Amino acid sequence: MNVGPVTGPQRQFPSGAKYAEALQHTQLCFQHPELVGARPELTKLGLPRAISGAFASVFSLTSAVSGRRYAIKCFTRNVPDQERRYQAISARLARLNPGELSQPWNLGFEYLTDAISVGPHRYPVLKMEWAEAVTLSSWLDHNHARPSAVDRLAERFEALTRDLDALDIAHGDLQHGNLLVASDDTLRLVDYDGMFVPELAGMSGTERGHRNYQSPMRGNDDFGAELDRFSAWVIFLSLKAIASDPGLWSRLHEPSGEFLLLTEEDFKSPGSSMRLQTLLAHPDRTVSGLADQLRSLAAQPLDVLPPLALALPKQRATATTSATANAPVPPAAGGLPSWMMTGHVSPEAAPPPPQPSDAAPDGFRTRTLLDVAAAGLCPLMVIATVIICVAGFPVSPIEAGVPGFVAVALIVFARSRRAERAELRATLSKLTGELGRLDDPVKAAEKLHKERARFDAGEAKRTAALTKAQAKLTAHYQADLKEAEKRKARKERDLDRQIDGLAEELRKSLAQALTNKQSTYVRDQLGRQLISQSPPPGIGPKLASRLAAAGIRTAADFKGYRPVQNTHYNSTGAVLVLSSGRVVDVNGIGEAKAIALDVWRKRVVASVEARQPTSLGMSERQSIEEDIARRRAQLVAWRKGVEPETEALRVKARKQKEVGLERLNRENSLAGDRARQQRQEFAQRATTLQQNSVLHEALSDAVETARLRLRRLSLGCYVRFLYIAR
């Protein structure tokens, strides 16, 4: 029969098992020179090992010619325009310059038409380079406790997405199984089935990607350069979260789970998602910020989602600002600590403080009539005092000083009538009153700083308590799972032991049934041997009658004799042992006749046993076997029921964990809302405090200026003003 290619749009492809069967003979099924005679990786049963997916099965083959290892993808379902797609993808990737890529994530492949023979037809395969690497989830299983390594991998993943964005390429199914981590912790991309390249623009997609990494808004018609954007945010958030808090891997990830930290349900119902709420409430601002961004992206169409590389600078700036705002710094020279001035106070300027009026006097102004009078009279009074003292008028010293006192009083009175002093005193009083109503900014800042420190300490304690409670729930969940598995193993082991023991039980039951059948036969036959019909030697009708009166009529009625000492006659007698074990003394039966009876019985027993059945009948054997079969079926059914029972325990444990985590998340969400309100209050107080500090400083300067101006209205300054006008 000629082997020919399968053609037509609706062609049927073999199953993975059929491909595995064909790959046992690679020298016959392949025509490609490097694949003819290639050695497939085998299972323990000696069959080619297959990694099966939705559209294909992948086999590992080592070329007998070059010794190179390849991944051979054999298609199990028809993909529209498959050859055209792979040729376009292959041509686009072949043009990439490895030196311009962030890392060697691109694996070379070759689409081979009619490459493998399965039965009478040939089918295409994809020959890809084999990547010596592990899946992202497997790598995290072993490395999640190394924050620096996980953070470096997050940066490499972001660089990979930057490469794809720059090239207008989308993988189409970014997820933990298609991202491989090499030994140098660089990434490799595999599975290009759903890849978009510019040459495929206008075509529809062939798949929707892994459900735990895709936006709920992704539809069947989405096929463009933006396909990976939501998946990129999901993976990057997961890596950054694990790098910040390695414990999240054990709390949010499930062993062998088909996701990293978040699932499809978390994107569809973010409000009720325990996992997403845990990330949103995380104390690390980068983690909570990325989680908040992802929550908003889940409700947006793919074509408006921002590329990860373009959105990260904003995220990093936010994280830097948050870090700066939370860092403790010493008080600034101006009185307020500098933490009040960075990230907490709004940039709006404080309202200008009241200043001393520009019209307020900075000295005495124009002379009044009183000033002129004072200026003219004062010298006269002083001259009068001098004349009185020099001329020697007969007056007392007090009377001589009266004109001088009058001159001084006149000057003091004239100065007191000046409006400048009243204006300045009123201004100073007003400024001093306003300054007194303001709190000391340094003390207020210290008080606010202490309150914030207590608040931050409380938040740290609350976050630590939340983490501890989550870890406790997770540990309890894992303990429940472990106990369920132990219980399962214990029950299965016990049931397996019972099932395995049924063969021996059948053998024993058959043997016991045969023994019972033989015993019944012997007992029946012995009961038919009457002593009176075939008496032993020396046993006449009279003795037979006496034996019958004692209950011994057949060979079945007794089982031997026991010699006894006859003390009356000083001779040895005998008693017969009945089948029940009771002994009887029959008159006329001495030791000799008892021996004769015993010999007769043994001879009868030997004759009967020689004729006893040696096997069970078919019906007898079938009854026993059916009983064992019923028990086997019952045990097997019980064993099959162990897994559903265990699964019910798993579900119960998981439900308890989810309920507990949901409760913790609800409480944490409420506490987080209160904390945000408290932070807003702190920010408002900080803004007010900064404004008050500026106002306090301005008022202090104004008071000092007013006092300085008031000193310029002193008595000496007034006298100088009277005579030199300044």
Side-chain angles (χ1 to χ4, degrees), residues 1-21:
M1 180 180 294
N2 294 329
V3 176
V6 178
T7 60
Q10 301 300 325
R11 59 180 175 176
Q12 298 295 317
F13 284 84
S15 64
K18 289 291 185 181
Y19 280 117
E21 184 179 340

Side-chain angles (χ1 to χ4, degrees), residues 151 154-155 158 230 232-244 262 267 276 279-282 284-298 307-309 311-316 318-319:
D151 196 58
E155 297 302 321
E158 184 264 324
F230 187 81
W233 280 94
V234 173
I235 296 170
F236 187 76
L237 164 61
S238 300
L239 292 174
K240 294 299 276 187
I242 296 168
S244 171
L262 299 172
F267 311 142
L276 186 56
L279 298 179
L280 286 169
H282 200 276
D284 189 309
R285 299 291 179 86
T286 299
V287 175
S288 59
L290 286 169
D292 187 57
Q293 179 78 348
L294 182 67
R295 176 174 58 178
S296 66
L297 296 180
L308 180 62
L312 281 180
K314 177 182 178 182
Q315 183 65 37
R316 288 172 178 148
T318 302

Side-chain angles (χ1 to χ4, degrees), residues 28-45:
L28 299 177
C29 68
F30 285 122
Q31 294 180 348
H32 191 283
E34 210 172 11
L35 299 181
V36 172
R39 298 185 303 276
E41 182 183 353
L42 304 178
T43 65
K44 292 181 179 180
L45 299 177

